[in-house]
Amino acid sequence: MKISIFGTGYVGLVTGACFANLGHEVVCYDIDKQKIKELQEGHVPFFEPDLEKMVKDSLKSGRISFIDDCSAGVGKADVIFIAVGTPSKKNGEVDLSYVENAASNIGRNLKKYALVVNKSTVPVGTAQLVKNIIKNYYKGEFDVASNPEFLREGDALLDFMKPERIVIGTETTKAEKMLRGLYSSFDCPLVSVKIETAEIIKYASNAYLATKISFINEIANICEKVGADVEDVSYAMGLDSRIGNKFLKAGIGYGGSCFPKDVRGLKNIALKNDYEFHLLKSVIKVNHRQKMFVIEKARKLIGKLEGKKICIWGLAFKPNTDDFRESLAIDIIKFLQKEGVIVNAYDPITDYEKIRKTASFGKEVKFFDDPCKALKGCDGLIVVTEWDEFRKIDLRKMKELLRKPNVIDGRNIYNPEMMAKFGFNYMSVGR
Ligand code: NAD
């Protein structure tokens, strides 16, 4: 099939590269001309394991191309995916301006029938919005559909190629047939539903996972009060197949480009439809409180924070990605700076220039290219992201480098007994 993709970010580029790899002819368009230039040269402007190789192979075979003028991509396409960002507005509503812009450009350039598919996470009713925008410009036949994406950054290629389910929302037999055909080689359940149902499935899935995280974090907080160990609690809970062990790991909360915005998004979709989603309000509150506990723990271990130097390990919102959108590290650094803390930071792959430019930290953060160098002379360490590299660190060396052996382990990656043996003042979550 001839496929066109609007937006070549984490979702759009993975979608494009994977479909090209499966033998389709893919044209990727993005409004970011610099991104397109880099992609034309085979360079992926963000970190995703194995993606660059796949893009380079597809460029070589001629099955993928990158353009900064969308007219060339729309005219010939059988299927057009919209994979642009859908960030939160300040009031928590979903900002659909990028989707609207993509829809206008599609409408302006359509020349024959095409199926326009929302892959972005969008509120119920967005497919109809896209349809109406396109109709303003194009009077011929076309269809709209919803095909939400469930890939996880860091495992995106595997998730795309071997998904646990594919969800398609369509309103015509032709559109359903096309999407079934496109995914015919995928070995997983294909859930074909009404467009509105498909649109809400993605929000419901992310909001549920965030709820699970906030739930286990509340259990962790109780464990700390009663002297129980949340790691054992979640292990035992997870053995129950009705509960399952995924997303049941206590920590300092969820962050990232999807969970926070999608939980807010669903809460607002409910509100707009005169329904107050009490549970999600609590999920958001719990998540906020959880990251504030880190500051409380720092005070408990280090004492007065003003003038102290603290090292942060991990800036990406999770391991195996360089994505720091809504990363907890950013908020924690800002809270610490407000308290007068000097912050050293280390992350294995985050682009320090980019985070410096976009995070608007109150004061200078000193970034390091080595986790041990970042520790030197600090009054404490906070582990924010559970990179494997931090698990393998030499604890003796860690203790020597810190000015004071205070460690707040936000992801429970160290063994409390071992930390005590090495002489650390150690606090983790729920243990
Ligand atoms: P992203 O910010 O990495 O990429 C979006 C891209 O769209 C950017 O390159 C941007 O320049 C481009 N863009 C914006 N407006 C455009 C327009 N009018 N025309 C063409 N390109 C345009 O975002 P992402 O992380 O890939 O997320 C995209 C969507 O997929 C969001 O709705 C997100 O919620 C959803 N999603 C993301 C993930 C994830 O793990 N990142 C997973 C599943 C679903």
Side-chain angles (χ1 to χ4, degrees):
M1 269 188 199
K2 287 189 171 53
I3 296 173
S4 186
I5 300 186
F6 274 60
T8 55
Y10 289 89
V11 167
L13 186 58
V14 169
T15 304
C18 289
F19 278 135
N21 187 265
L22 288 167
H24 298 283
E25 204 180 300
V26 180
V27 177
C28 294
Y29 162 71
D30 202 288
I31 47 168
D32 184 339
K33 288 189 189 314
Q34 177 58 27
K35 204 177 239 184
I36 290 298
K37 193 165 167 276
E38 286 183 44
L39 285 165
Q40 284 167 341
E41 288 159 8
H43 175 62
V44 172
F46 52 85
F47 177 81
E48 182 59 48
D50 304 322
L51 181 58
E52 190 157 291
K53 184 180 178 311
M54 195 183 254
V55 168
K56 279 192 171 131
D57 288 350
S58 302
L59 275 170
K60 220 183 267 171
S61 69
R63 282 199 294 264
I64 203 166
S65 58
F66 297 97
I67 54 166
D68 59 11
D69 168 8
C70 66
S71 59
V74 174
K76 292 181 191 150
D78 303 309
V79 181
I80 302 170
F81 282 102
I82 298 179
V84 300
T86 48
S88 290
K89 290 187 194 168
K90 277 215 169 79
N91 64 2
E93 269 178 39
V94 184
D95 179 355
L96 286 174
S97 57
Y98 302 101
V99 173
E100 288 164 1
N101 181 281
S104 312
N105 276 330
I106 292 168
R108 279 193 200 102
N109 292 290
L110 265 185
K111 300 210 162 41
K112 63 163 192 67
Y113 175 89
L115 172 59
V116 180
V117 187
N118 261 330
K119 213 170 221 327
S120 297
T121 304
V122 290
V124 177
T126 305
Q128 297 310 322
L129 173 78
V130 166
K131 191 197 227 175
N132 291 336
I133 293 174
I134 295 174
K135 269 187 181 167
N136 287 338
Y137 301 96
Y138 179 68
K139 304 296 170 210
E141 190 203 353
F142 69 98
D143 275 314
V144 289
S146 165
N147 171 218
E149 181 52 56
F150 299 96
L151 63 78
R152 296 160 303 168
E153 288 173 21
D155 292 294
L157 294 192
L158 184 74
D159 286 349
F160 191 92
M161 295 302 248
K162 303 233 172 292
E164 289 180 332
R165 83 300 210 183
I166 290 164
V167 173
I168 59 169
T170 52
E171 56 185 6
T172 68
T173 319
K174 185 172 180 174
E176 184 187 357
K177 213 170 150 200
M178 280 177 85
L179 282 178
R180 279 190 184 277
L182 187 61
Y183 285 113
S184 59
S185 62
F186 287 66
D187 184 20
C188 70
L190 186 143
V191 184
S192 178
V193 290
K194 281 167 71 174
I195 291 184
E196 291 75 11
T197 309
E199 288 175 331
I200 209 164
I201 286 172
K202 171 68 190 180
Y203 280 103
S205 304
N206 274 359
Y208 180 73
L209 294 175
T211 304
K212 224 175 153 187
I213 294 171
S214 278
F215 179 83
I216 198 66
N217 283 341
E218 292 237 87
I219 296 292
N221 299 337
I222 299 168
C223 283
E224 284 183 14
K225 291 193 183 293
V226 300
D229 185 330
V230 75
E231 291 292 310
D232 294 334
V233 175
S234 62
Y235 172 68
M237 283 174 71
L239 291 174
D240 185 331
S241 62
R242 294 169 305 173
I243 298 172
N245 60 7
K246 306 249 174 75
F247 291 82
L248 207 59
K249 178 118 182 65
I252 52 177
Y254 61 80
S257 57
C258 289
F259 283 7
K261 86 168 170 63
D262 292 348
V263 173
R264 283 192 298 266
L266 184 53
K267 183 177 90 74
N268 276 279
I269 292 165
L271 254 190
K272 274 196 162 171
N273 289 280
D274 288 328
Y275 183 78
E276 206 168 339
F277 208 139
H278 291 294
L279 184 57
L280 289 190
K281 275 172 123 178
S282 299
V283 168
I284 293 168
K285 256 193 208 162
V286 169
N287 198 53
H288 177 72
R289 192 174 58 170
Q290 200 66 11
K291 80 185 159 203
M292 296 311 288
F293 284 153
V294 174
I295 312 293
E296 245 175 62
K297 283 178 177 165
R299 274 196 210 105
K300 266 189 198 147
L301 280 189
I302 301 171
K304 200 169 165 235
L305 294 177
E306 197 181 351
K308 300 287 183 349
K309 195 194 273 185
I310 294 181
C311 177
I312 301 290
W313 273 359
L315 297 166
F317 82 93
K318 66 171 193 172
N320 291 325
T321 180
D322 58 353
D323 192 348
F324 55 80
R325 288 178 284 182
E326 294 210 39
S327 162
L328 296 174
I330 294 177
D331 285 349
I332 290 170
I333 290 174
K334 286 182 177 171
F335 288 133
L336 290 172
Q337 288 183 328
K338 257 194 205 153
E339 300 262 337
V341 172
I342 301 155
V343 178
N344 281 4
Y346 168 78
D347 188 278
I349 56 169
T350 289
D351 181 337
Y352 292 152
E353 258 333 289
K354 200 165 153 193
I355 198 167
R356 200 176 259 136
K357 268 192 211 147
T358 50
S360 52
F361 293 119
K363 288 182 206 127
E364 181 71 12
V365 174
K366 206 162 175 203
F367 296 107
F368 289 81
D369 59 4
D370 178 293
C372 291
K373 284 185 196 158
L375 281 180
K376 210 171 165 205
C378 284
D379 298 284
L381 162 71
I382 302 176
V383 179
V384 177
T385 315
E386 65 274 38
W387 284 97
D388 251 356
E389 189 177 346
F390 304 150
R391 287 196 174 89
K392 294 177 190 148
I393 219 89
D394 178 345
L395 293 177
R396 203 179 306 272
K397 194 171 168 195
M398 184 160 136
K399 170 119 190 289
E400 276 167 19
L401 288 165
L402 281 166
R403 202 173 77 83
K404 293 273 170 65
N406 298 314
V407 174
I408 295 150
D409 178 358
R411 300 295 176 188
N412 291 357
I413 61 172
Y414 300 118
N415 177 314
E417 282 86 47
M418 193 64 88
M419 294 303 276
K421 211 172 115 194
F422 275 88
F424 286 100
N425 304 318
Y426 175 75
M427 287 181 107
S428 51
V429 184
R431 301 190 291 175

